CSV table of all heavy atoms in Angstrom, one decimal:
chain,number,residue,atom,x,y,z
A,1,MET,N,2.2,-38.9,20.9
A,1,MET,CA,1.6,-37.7,20.3
A,1,MET,C,0.2,-38.1,19.8
A,1,MET,O,-0.1,-39.2,19.3
A,1,MET,CB,2.4,-37.3,19.1
A,1,MET,CG,3.8,-36.7,19.5
A,1,MET,SD,3.6,-35.2,20.5
A,1,MET,CE,5.3,-34.7,20.6
A,2,HIS,N,-0.7,-37.2,19.9
A,2,HIS,CA,-2.1,-37.4,19.6
A,2,HIS,C,-2.6,-36.5,18.6
A,2,HIS,O,-3.7,-35.8,18.8
A,2,HIS,CB,-2.9,-37.4,20.9
A,2,HIS,CG,-2.5,-38.3,21.9
A,2,HIS,ND1,-2.9,-39.6,22.0
A,2,HIS,CD2,-1.7,-38.1,23.0
A,2,HIS,CE1,-2.3,-40.2,23.0
A,2,HIS,NE2,-1.6,-39.3,23.6
A,3,TYR,N,-2.0,-36.4,17.5
A,3,TYR,CA,-2.4,-35.4,16.5
A,3,TYR,C,-3.4,-35.9,15.5
A,3,TYR,O,-4.0,-35.2,14.8
A,3,TYR,CB,-1.2,-34.8,15.8
A,3,TYR,CG,-0.4,-33.9,16.7
A,3,TYR,CD1,1.0,-34.3,17.0
A,3,TYR,CD2,-0.9,-32.8,17.3
A,3,TYR,CE1,1.7,-33.5,17.8
A,3,TYR,CE2,-0.1,-32.0,18.1
A,3,TYR,CZ,1.2,-32.3,18.4
A,3,TYR,OH,1.9,-31.6,19.2
A,4,LYS,N,-3.5,-37.2,15.5
A,4,LYS,CA,-4.4,-37.8,14.5
A,4,LYS,C,-5.8,-37.7,14.8
A,4,LYS,O,-6.2,-37.9,16.0
A,4,LYS,CB,-4.0,-39.3,14.3
A,4,LYS,CG,-2.9,-39.4,13.3
A,4,LYS,CD,-2.8,-40.8,12.7
A,4,LYS,CE,-1.7,-40.9,11.7
A,4,LYS,NZ,-1.0,-42.1,11.7
A,5,ILE,N,-6.6,-37.3,13.9
A,5,ILE,CA,-8.0,-37.2,14.1
A,5,ILE,C,-8.6,-38.6,13.8
A,5,ILE,O,-8.6,-39.2,12.8
A,5,ILE,CB,-8.7,-36.3,13.1
A,5,ILE,CG1,-8.0,-34.9,13.0
A,5,ILE,CG2,-10.2,-36.1,13.4
A,5,ILE,CD1,-8.0,-34.2,14.4
A,6,ILE,N,-9.2,-39.1,14.9
A,6,ILE,CA,-9.9,-40.5,14.8
A,6,ILE,C,-11.4,-40.3,14.8
A,6,ILE,O,-11.9,-39.9,15.8
A,6,ILE,CB,-9.4,-41.4,15.9
A,6,ILE,CG1,-7.9,-41.5,15.8
A,6,ILE,CG2,-10.1,-42.8,15.8
A,6,ILE,CD1,-7.3,-42.0,17.1
A,7,SER,N,-12.0,-40.6,13.7
A,7,SER,CA,-13.4,-40.2,13.6
A,7,SER,C,-14.4,-41.2,14.4
A,7,SER,O,-15.5,-40.9,14.6
A,7,SER,CB,-13.9,-40.1,12.2
A,7,SER,OG,-13.5,-41.3,11.5
A,8,ASN,N,-13.9,-42.4,14.7
A,8,ASN,CA,-14.8,-43.3,15.3
A,8,ASN,C,-14.7,-43.3,16.9
A,8,ASN,O,-15.3,-44.2,17.5
A,8,ASN,CB,-14.5,-44.7,14.8
A,8,ASN,CG,-13.1,-45.2,15.1
A,8,ASN,OD1,-12.3,-44.5,15.7
A,8,ASN,ND2,-12.8,-46.4,14.8
A,9,VAL,N,-14.1,-42.3,17.4
A,9,VAL,CA,-14.0,-42.2,18.9
A,9,VAL,C,-15.3,-41.5,19.4
A,9,VAL,O,-15.7,-40.5,18.9
A,9,VAL,CB,-12.8,-41.3,19.3
A,9,VAL,CG1,-12.9,-41.0,20.8
A,9,VAL,CG2,-11.6,-42.1,19.0
A,10,ARG,N,-16.0,-42.2,20.3
A,10,ARG,CA,-17.3,-41.6,20.8
A,10,ARG,C,-17.2,-41.6,22.3
A,10,ARG,O,-16.5,-42.3,22.9
A,10,ARG,CB,-18.5,-42.5,20.3
A,10,ARG,CG,-18.8,-42.1,18.9
A,10,ARG,CD,-20.0,-43.0,18.5
A,10,ARG,NE,-20.3,-42.7,17.1
A,10,ARG,CZ,-21.3,-42.0,16.7
A,10,ARG,NH1,-22.1,-41.5,17.5
A,10,ARG,NH2,-21.5,-41.8,15.4
A,11,GLY,N,-18.1,-40.8,22.9
A,11,GLY,CA,-18.2,-40.7,24.3
A,11,GLY,C,-17.2,-39.8,24.9
A,11,GLY,O,-16.5,-39.1,24.2
A,12,GLY,N,-17.0,-39.8,26.2
A,12,GLY,CA,-16.1,-38.9,26.8
A,12,GLY,C,-16.8,-37.5,27.0
A,12,GLY,O,-18.0,-37.4,26.7
A,13,LEU,N,-16.0,-36.6,27.4
A,13,LEU,CA,-16.6,-35.3,27.7
A,13,LEU,C,-16.7,-34.4,26.4
A,13,LEU,O,-17.5,-33.5,26.4
A,13,LEU,CB,-15.6,-34.6,28.7
A,13,LEU,CG,-15.6,-35.1,30.1
A,13,LEU,CD1,-14.5,-34.6,30.8
A,13,LEU,CD2,-16.9,-34.9,30.8
A,14,CYS,N,-15.9,-34.8,25.4
A,14,CYS,CA,-15.8,-33.9,24.3
A,14,CYS,C,-16.4,-34.5,23.1
A,14,CYS,O,-16.0,-35.6,22.7
A,14,CYS,CB,-14.3,-33.6,24.0
A,14,CYS,SG,-13.5,-32.9,25.5
A,15,MET,N,-17.3,-33.8,22.5
A,15,MET,CA,-17.9,-34.3,21.3
A,15,MET,C,-18.1,-33.1,20.3
A,15,MET,O,-18.8,-32.2,20.6
A,15,MET,CB,-19.2,-35.0,21.5
A,15,MET,CG,-19.1,-36.3,22.2
A,15,MET,SD,-20.5,-37.3,22.1
A,15,MET,CE,-21.5,-36.5,23.3
A,16,SER,N,-17.4,-33.2,19.3
A,16,SER,CA,-17.6,-32.1,18.3
A,16,SER,C,-17.9,-32.7,16.9
A,16,SER,O,-17.4,-33.7,16.6
A,16,SER,CB,-16.4,-31.2,18.2
A,16,SER,OG,-15.3,-32.0,17.8
A,17,LYS,N,-18.7,-32.0,16.2
A,17,LYS,CA,-19.1,-32.4,14.9
A,17,LYS,C,-18.6,-31.3,13.9
A,17,LYS,O,-18.7,-30.2,14.2
A,17,LYS,CB,-20.6,-32.5,14.7
A,17,LYS,CG,-21.2,-33.6,15.6
A,17,LYS,CD,-22.7,-33.4,15.8
A,17,LYS,CE,-23.2,-34.1,17.0
A,17,LYS,NZ,-24.0,-33.3,17.9
A,18,ASP,N,-18.1,-31.8,12.8
A,18,ASP,CA,-17.6,-30.9,11.8
A,18,ASP,C,-16.6,-29.9,12.4
A,18,ASP,O,-15.9,-30.3,13.3
A,18,ASP,CB,-18.8,-30.1,11.2
A,18,ASP,CG,-19.9,-31.0,10.8
A,18,ASP,OD1,-19.6,-32.1,10.2
A,18,ASP,OD2,-21.0,-30.6,11.0
A,19,ASN,N,-16.5,-28.8,11.9
A,19,ASN,CA,-15.6,-27.8,12.4
A,19,ASN,C,-16.4,-26.7,13.1
A,19,ASN,O,-16.4,-25.5,12.6
A,19,ASN,CB,-14.8,-27.2,11.2
A,19,ASN,CG,-13.4,-27.9,11.2
A,19,ASN,OD1,-13.2,-28.9,11.9
A,19,ASN,ND2,-12.5,-27.4,10.3
A,20,ARG,N,-17.0,-27.0,14.1
A,20,ARG,CA,-17.8,-26.1,14.9
A,20,ARG,C,-17.1,-25.8,16.2
A,20,ARG,O,-16.7,-26.7,16.9
A,20,ARG,CB,-19.2,-26.6,15.1
A,20,ARG,CG,-20.2,-25.6,15.3
A,20,ARG,CD,-21.6,-26.2,15.0
A,20,ARG,NE,-22.0,-26.0,13.6
A,20,ARG,CZ,-22.6,-25.0,13.1
A,20,ARG,NH1,-22.9,-24.0,13.9
A,20,ARG,NH2,-23.0,-24.9,11.9
A,21,CYS,N,-17.0,-24.5,16.5
A,21,CYS,CA,-16.3,-24.2,17.8
A,21,CYS,C,-17.2,-24.6,19.0
A,21,CYS,O,-18.4,-24.3,19.0
A,21,CYS,CB,-16.0,-22.7,17.8
A,21,CYS,SG,-15.3,-22.2,19.4
A,22,LEU,N,-16.6,-25.3,19.9
A,22,LEU,CA,-17.3,-25.8,21.1
A,22,LEU,C,-17.7,-24.6,22.0
A,22,LEU,O,-18.7,-24.7,22.7
A,22,LEU,CB,-16.4,-26.7,21.8
A,22,LEU,CG,-17.1,-27.9,22.5
A,22,LEU,CD1,-17.3,-29.0,21.6
A,22,LEU,CD2,-16.2,-28.3,23.7
A,23,LYS,N,-17.0,-23.5,21.9
A,23,LYS,CA,-17.3,-22.5,22.8
A,23,LYS,C,-18.3,-21.5,22.3
A,23,LYS,O,-19.3,-21.2,22.9
A,23,LYS,CB,-16.0,-21.7,23.2
A,23,LYS,CG,-16.1,-20.8,24.3
A,23,LYS,CD,-14.7,-20.3,24.8
A,23,LYS,CE,-14.8,-19.5,26.1
A,23,LYS,NZ,-15.5,-18.2,25.9
A,24,CYS,N,-18.0,-21.0,21.1
A,24,CYS,CA,-18.9,-20.0,20.5
A,24,CYS,C,-19.9,-20.5,19.5
A,24,CYS,O,-20.7,-19.8,18.9
A,24,CYS,CB,-18.1,-18.8,20.0
A,24,CYS,SG,-17.1,-19.2,18.5
A,25,SER,N,-19.8,-21.8,19.2
A,25,SER,CA,-20.7,-22.5,18.3
A,25,SER,C,-20.6,-21.9,16.8
A,25,SER,O,-21.5,-22.3,16.0
A,25,SER,CB,-22.1,-22.4,18.7
A,25,SER,OG,-22.2,-23.0,20.0
A,26,SER,N,-19.7,-21.1,16.5
A,26,SER,CA,-19.6,-20.7,15.1
A,26,SER,C,-18.9,-21.7,14.3
A,26,SER,O,-18.1,-22.5,14.8
A,26,SER,CB,-18.9,-19.3,15.0
A,26,SER,OG,-17.6,-19.5,15.4
A,27,SER,N,-19.2,-21.8,13.0
A,27,SER,CA,-18.5,-22.7,12.2
A,27,SER,C,-17.1,-22.1,11.8
A,27,SER,O,-17.0,-21.0,11.6
A,27,SER,CB,-19.3,-23.1,11.0
A,27,SER,OG,-19.4,-22.0,10.1
A,28,ILE,N,-16.1,-23.0,11.9
A,28,ILE,CA,-14.8,-22.5,11.8
A,28,ILE,C,-14.3,-22.6,10.3
A,28,ILE,O,-14.3,-23.7,9.7
A,28,ILE,CB,-13.8,-23.4,12.7
A,28,ILE,CG1,-14.3,-23.3,14.1
A,28,ILE,CG2,-12.4,-22.9,12.5
A,28,ILE,CD1,-13.7,-24.3,15.0
A,29,LYS,N,-13.9,-21.5,9.8
A,29,LYS,CA,-13.5,-21.5,8.4
A,29,LYS,C,-12.0,-21.4,8.3
A,29,LYS,O,-11.4,-21.9,7.4
A,29,LYS,CB,-14.1,-20.3,7.7
A,29,LYS,CG,-15.6,-20.3,7.8
A,29,LYS,CD,-16.2,-19.9,6.4
A,29,LYS,CE,-17.7,-20.3,6.4
A,29,LYS,NZ,-18.5,-19.6,7.4
A,30,GLY,N,-11.4,-20.8,9.3
A,30,GLY,CA,-9.9,-20.6,9.2
A,30,GLY,C,-9.2,-21.7,10.0
A,30,GLY,O,-9.6,-22.9,9.9
A,31,LEU,N,-8.4,-21.3,10.9
A,31,LEU,CA,-7.6,-22.3,11.7
A,31,LEU,C,-8.6,-22.8,12.8
A,31,LEU,O,-9.3,-22.1,13.4
A,31,LEU,CB,-6.5,-21.5,12.4
A,31,LEU,CG,-5.1,-21.5,11.8
A,31,LEU,CD1,-4.2,-20.7,12.6
A,31,LEU,CD2,-4.6,-22.9,11.5
A,32,ALA,N,-8.5,-24.1,13.0
A,32,ALA,CA,-9.2,-24.8,14.0
A,32,ALA,C,-8.2,-25.4,15.0
A,32,ALA,O,-7.2,-25.9,14.6
A,32,ALA,CB,-10.1,-25.8,13.4
A,33,TYR,N,-8.6,-25.5,16.2
A,33,TYR,CA,-7.8,-26.1,17.2
A,33,TYR,C,-8.6,-27.2,17.9
A,33,TYR,O,-9.8,-27.1,18.1
A,33,TYR,CB,-7.4,-25.1,18.3
A,33,TYR,CG,-6.4,-24.0,17.7
A,33,TYR,CD1,-6.9,-23.0,17.0
A,33,TYR,CD2,-5.1,-24.1,17.9
A,33,TYR,CE1,-6.1,-22.0,16.5
A,33,TYR,CE2,-4.2,-23.2,17.4
A,33,TYR,CZ,-4.7,-22.1,16.7
A,33,TYR,OH,-3.9,-21.2,16.1
A,34,SER,N,-7.9,-28.3,18.3
A,34,SER,CA,-8.6,-29.3,19.0
A,34,SER,C,-7.7,-30.0,20.0
A,34,SER,O,-6.5,-30.0,19.9
A,34,SER,CB,-9.1,-30.4,18.0
A,34,SER,OG,-8.0,-31.0,17.4
A,35,CYS,N,-8.4,-30.6,21.0
A,35,CYS,CA,-7.7,-31.3,22.1
A,35,CYS,C,-7.6,-32.8,21.7
A,35,CYS,O,-8.1,-33.2,20.6
A,35,CYS,CB,-8.4,-31.2,23.4
A,35,CYS,SG,-9.9,-32.1,23.5
A,36,VAL,N,-7.0,-33.6,22.5
A,36,VAL,CA,-6.9,-35.0,22.1
A,36,VAL,C,-8.2,-35.7,22.1
A,36,VAL,O,-8.4,-36.8,21.5
A,36,VAL,CB,-6.0,-35.8,23.1
A,36,VAL,CG1,-4.5,-35.2,23.0
A,36,VAL,CG2,-6.5,-35.7,24.5
A,37,HIS,N,-9.3,-35.1,22.7
A,37,HIS,CA,-10.6,-35.7,22.6
A,37,HIS,C,-11.4,-35.1,21.5
A,37,HIS,O,-12.6,-35.3,21.5
A,37,HIS,CB,-11.3,-35.5,24.0
A,37,HIS,CG,-10.6,-36.2,25.1
A,37,HIS,ND1,-10.6,-37.5,25.3
A,37,HIS,CD2,-9.8,-35.6,26.1
A,37,HIS,CE1,-9.8,-37.8,26.4
A,37,HIS,NE2,-9.4,-36.7,26.9
A,38,HIS,N,-10.8,-34.3,20.7
A,38,HIS,CA,-11.4,-33.8,19.5
A,38,HIS,C,-12.5,-32.7,19.8
A,38,HIS,O,-13.4,-32.5,19.0
A,38,HIS,CB,-12.1,-34.9,18.6
A,38,HIS,CG,-11.1,-36.0,18.5
A,38,HIS,ND1,-10.0,-35.9,17.8
A,38,HIS,CD2,-11.2,-37.3,18.9
A,38,HIS,CE1,-9.3,-37.1,17.8
A,38,HIS,NE2,-10.1,-37.9,18.5
A,39,CYS,N,-12.3,-32.0,20.9
A,39,CYS,CA,-13.1,-30.8,21.1
A,39,CYS,C,-12.5,-29.8,20.1
A,39,CYS,O,-11.3,-29.7,20.1
A,39,CYS,CB,-13.0,-30.3,22.5
A,39,CYS,SG,-13.3,-31.5,23.8
A,40,THR,N,-13.3,-29.1,19.4
A,40,THR,CA,-12.8,-28.2,18.4
A,40,THR,C,-13.1,-26.7,18.8
A,40,THR,O,-14.2,-26.4,19.3
A,40,THR,CB,-13.4,-28.5,17.1
A,40,THR,OG1,-13.2,-29.9,16.8
A,40,THR,CG2,-12.7,-27.7,16.0
A,41,TYR,N,-12.1,-25.9,18.6
A,41,TYR,CA,-12.3,-24.5,18.9
A,41,TYR,C,-11.8,-23.6,17.8
A,41,TYR,O,-10.9,-24.0,17.1
A,41,TYR,CB,-11.5,-24.1,20.2
A,41,TYR,CG,-12.0,-24.8,21.4
A,41,TYR,CD1,-11.4,-26.0,21.8
A,41,TYR,CD2,-13.0,-24.3,22.2
A,41,TYR,CE1,-11.8,-26.7,22.9
A,41,TYR,CE2,-13.4,-25.0,23.4
A,41,TYR,CZ,-12.8,-26.2,23.7
A,41,TYR,OH,-13.2,-26.9,24.8
A,42,CYS,N,-12.4,-22.4,17.6
A,42,CYS,CA,-11.9,-21.5,16.7
A,42,CYS,C,-10.7,-20.8,17.2
A,42,CYS,O,-10.3,-21.0,18.4
A,42,CYS,CB,-13.0,-20.5,16.3
A,42,CYS,SG,-13.4,-19.3,17.7
A,43,HIS,N,-10.0,-20.1,16.3
A,43,HIS,CA,-8.7,-19.5,16.7
A,43,HIS,C,-8.9,-18.5,17.9
A,43,HIS,O,-8.2,-18.5,18.8
A,43,HIS,CB,-8.1,-18.8,15.5
A,43,HIS,CG,-6.8,-18.1,15.9
A,43,HIS,ND1,-5.7,-18.8,16.2
A,43,HIS,CD2,-6.5,-16.8,16.1
A,43,HIS,CE1,-4.7,-17.9,16.6
A,43,HIS,NE2,-5.2,-16.7,16.4
A,44,SER,N,-10.0,-17.7,17.8
A,44,SER,CA,-10.1,-16.7,18.9
A,44,SER,C,-10.4,-17.3,20.2
A,44,SER,O,-9.9,-16.8,21.2
A,44,SER,CB,-11.1,-15.6,18.4
A,44,SER,OG,-12.4,-16.0,18.7
A,45,CYS,N,-11.3,-18.3,20.2
A,45,CYS,CA,-11.6,-19.0,21.5
A,45,CYS,C,-10.4,-19.7,22.0
A,45,CYS,O,-10.1,-19.7,23.2
A,45,CYS,CB,-12.8,-19.9,21.4
A,45,CYS,SG,-14.3,-19.0,21.1
A,46,ALA,N,-9.7,-20.4,21.2
A,46,ALA,CA,-8.5,-21.1,21.6
A,46,ALA,C,-7.5,-20.2,22.2
A,46,ALA,O,-6.9,-20.5,23.3
A,46,ALA,CB,-7.9,-21.8,20.4
A,47,SER,N,-7.3,-19.0,21.6
A,47,SER,CA,-6.3,-18.1,22.3
A,47,SER,C,-6.9,-17.5,23.6
A,47,SER,O,-6.1,-17.3,24.5
A,47,SER,CB,-6.0,-16.9,21.3
A,47,SER,OG,-6.5,-17.0,20.1
A,48,LYS,N,-8.2,-17.3,23.6
A,48,LYS,CA,-8.7,-16.8,24.9
A,48,LYS,C,-8.6,-17.8,26.0
A,48,LYS,O,-8.4,-17.5,27.2
A,48,LYS,CB,-10.2,-16.5,24.7
A,48,LYS,CG,-10.5,-15.0,24.2
A,48,LYS,CD,-12.0,-14.8,24.1
A,48,LYS,CE,-12.3,-14.0,22.9
A,48,LYS,NZ,-13.7,-14.2,22.4
A,49,LEU,N,-8.7,-19.1,25.6
A,49,LEU,CA,-8.6,-20.2,26.6
A,49,LEU,C,-7.1,-20.5,26.8
A,49,LEU,O,-6.8,-21.5,27.6
A,49,LEU,CB,-9.3,-21.4,26.1
A,49,LEU,CG,-10.8,-21.2,25.9
A,49,LEU,CD1,-11.4,-22.4,25.1
A,49,LEU,CD2,-11.5,-21.1,27.2
A,50,GLN,N,-6.2,-19.8,26.2
A,50,GLN,CA,-4.8,-20.0,26.3
A,50,GLN,C,-4.5,-21.5,26.0
A,50,GLN,O,-3.7,-22.1,26.6
A,50,GLN,CB,-4.3,-19.7,27.7
A,50,GLN,CG,-4.5,-18.2,28.0
A,50,GLN,CD,-4.1,-17.8,29.4
A,50,GLN,OE1,-4.5,-18.3,30.4
A,50,GLN,NE2,-3.2,-16.8,29.4
A,51,MET,N,-5.1,-22.0,24.9
A,51,MET,CA,-4.9,-23.3,24.3
A,51,MET,C,-5.1,-24.4,25.3
A,51,MET,O,-4.6,-25.5,25.2
A,51,MET,CB,-3.4,-23.4,23.8
A,51,MET,CG,-3.1,-22.3,22.8
A,51,MET,SD,-4.1,-22.4,21.4
A,51,MET,CE,-3.7,-20.9,20.5
A,52,ILE,N,-6.1,-24.2,26.2
A,52,ILE,CA,-6.5,-25.3,27.1
A,52,ILE,C,-8.0,-25.6,26.9
A,52,ILE,O,-8.8,-24.7,26.9
A,52,ILE,CB,-6.3,-24.8,28.6
A,52,ILE,CG1,-4.8,-24.5,28.9
A,52,ILE,CG2,-6.8,-25.9,29.6
A,52,ILE,CD1,-3.9,-25.7,28.7
A,53,CYS,N,-8.3,-26.8,26.7
A,53,CYS,CA,-9.7,-27.2,26.5
A,53,CYS,C,-10.5,-27.0,27.7
A,53,CYS,O,-10.2,-27.3,28.8
A,53,CYS,CB,-9.7,-28.7,26.1
A,53,CYS,SG,-11.4,-29.3,25.9
A,54,LEU,N,-11.7,-26.4,27.5
A,54,LEU,CA,-12.7,-26.2,28.5
A,54,LEU,C,-13.2,-27.4,29.2
A,54,LEU,O,-13.5,-27.5,30.4
A,54,LEU,CB,-13.9,-25.5,27.9
A,54,LEU,CG,-13.9,-23.9,27.8
A,54,LEU,CD1,-15.2,-23.5,27.3
A,54,LEU,CD2,-13.6,-23.3,29.2
A,55,ASN,N,-13.3,-28.5,28.4
A,55,ASN,CA,-13.9,-29.7,28.9
A,55,ASN,C,-12.9,-30.6,29.6
A,55,ASN,O,-13.3,-31.2,30.7
A,55,ASN,CB,-14.5,-30.5,27.8
A,55,ASN,CG,-15.8,-29.8,27.2
A,55,ASN,OD1,-16.4,-29.1,28.0
A,55,ASN,ND2,-16.1,-30.0,26.0
A,56,CYS,N,-11.8,-30.8,29.1
A,56,CYS,CA,-10.9,-31.8,29.6
A,56,CYS,C,-9.6,-31.2,30.1
A,56,CYS,O,-8.7,-31.9,30.6
A,56,CYS,CB,-10.6,-32.9,28.6
A,56,CYS,SG,-9.7,-32.3,27.2
A,57,ASN,N,-9.4,-29.9,30.0
A,57,ASN,CA,-8.1,-29.2,30.3
A,57,ASN,C,-6.9,-29.7,29.6
A,57,ASN,O,-5.8,-29.5,30.0
A,57,ASN,CB,-7.9,-29.4,31.8
A,57,ASN,CG,-8.9,-28.6,32.7
A,57,ASN,OD1,-9.2,-27.5,32.3
A,57,ASN,ND2,-9.3,-29.2,33.8
A,58,GLY,N,-7.2,-30.4,28.5
A,58,GLY,CA,-6.1,-30.8,27.6
A,58,GLY,C,-5.6,-29.7,26.7
A,58,GLY,O,-6.3,-28.6,26.6
A,59,LYS,N,-4.5,-29.9,26.2
A,59,LYS,CA,-3.8,-28.9,25.4
A,59,LYS,C,-4.5,-28.9,24.0
A,59,LYS,O,-4.7,-29.9,23.4
A,59,LYS,CB,-2.3,-29.2,25.3
A,59,LYS,CG,-1.5,-28.0,24.8
A,59,LYS,CD,0.0,-28.3,24.9
A,59,LYS,CE,0.8,-27.1,24.6
A,59,LYS,NZ,0.5,-26.4,23.4
A,60,LEU,N,-4.7,-27.7,23.5
A,60,LEU,CA,-5.3,-27.6,22.1
A,60,LEU,C,-4.1,-27.5,21.1
A,60,LEU,O,-3.2,-26.7,21.3
A,60,LEU,CB,-6.2,-26.3,22.1
A,60,LEU,CG,-7.3,-26.3,23.0
A,60,LEU,CD1,-8.1,-25.0,22.9
A,60,LEU,CD2,-8.3,-27.4,22.7
A,61,THR,N,-4.3,-28.2,20.1
A,61,THR,CA,-3.3,-28.1,19.0
A,61,THR,C,-4.0,-27.8,17.7
A,61,THR,O,-5.2,-28.1,17.5
A,61,THR,CB,-2.6,-29.5,18.8
A,61,THR,OG1,-3.5,-30.5,18.7
A,61,THR,CG2,-1.7,-29.8,20.0
A,62,LYS,N,-3.3,-27.2,16.8
A,62,LYS,CA,-3.8,-26.9,15.5
A,62,LYS,C,-4.2,-28.1,14.7
A,62,LYS,O,-3.5,-29.1,14.7
A,62,LYS,CB,-2.7,-26.2,14.7
A,62,LYS,CG,-2.7,-24.7,14.8
A,62,LYS,CD,-1.7,-24.1,13.9
A,62,LYS,CE,-1.1,-22.9,14.5
A,62,LYS,NZ,0.0,-22.3,13.8
A,63,LYS,N,-5.4,-28.0,14.1
A,63,LYS,CA,-5.8,-29.1,13.3
A,63,LYS,C,-5.2,-28.9,11.9
A,63,LYS,O,-5.2,-27.8,11.4
A,63,LYS,CB,-7.4,-29.1,13.1
A,63,LYS,CG,-8.1,-29.8,14.2
A,63,LYS,CD,-9.5,-29.7,14.0
A,63,LYS,CE,-10.3,-31.0,14.2
A,63,LYS,NZ,-11.7,-30.9,14.0
A,64,ALA,N,-4.8,-30.0,11.3
A,64,ALA,CA,-4.2,-29.9,10.0
A,64,ALA,C,-5.3,-29.6,9.0
A,64,ALA,O,-6.4,-29.9,9.1
A,64,ALA,CB,-3.5,-31.2,9.6
B,1,ZN,ZN1,-15.0,-20.0,19.1
B,2,ZN,ZN1,-11.1,-31.5,25.4
């Protein structure tokens, strides 16, 4: 399982800072979703993408 947020992971296709949605670039105040590479999406984008990351096709899971 890859639910832990590891802040020192760099590189790869997915880079997100803070809680900013990768798709619509809005800052996320409510529920945030992220893939194992820490791409972060807001709830509405995550649902539109059917919980699949745009960058890596990984599954999006709720961030704690
Ligand atoms: Zn969004
Ligand atoms: Zn991803």
Side-chain angles (χ1 to χ4, degrees):
M1 292 298 186
H2 300 276
Y3 291 117
K4 275 200 175 144
I5 310 298
I6 301 158
S7 56
N8 61 357
V9 172
R10 281 178 182 257
L13 292 167
C14 305
M15 290 197 279
S16 62
K17 295 162 199 131
D18 310 319
N19 263 7
R20 205 162 269 273
C21 176
L22 214 85
K23 190 168 191 291
C24 67
S25 301
S26 66
S27 66
I28 303 165
K29 303 222 163 64
L31 270 180
Y33 293 80
S34 65
C35 74
V36 295
H37 299 287
H38 314 294
C39 310
T40 306
Y41 298 90
C42 68
H43 177 71
S44 81
C45 290
S47 353
K48 273 181 220 154
L49 297 169
Q50 299 178 304
M51 303 300 170
I52 300 296
C53 176
L54 272 182
N55 288 333
C56 67
N57 292 320
K59 196 173 190 307
L60 300 177
T61 52
K62 266 182 213 172
K63 272 179 137 179

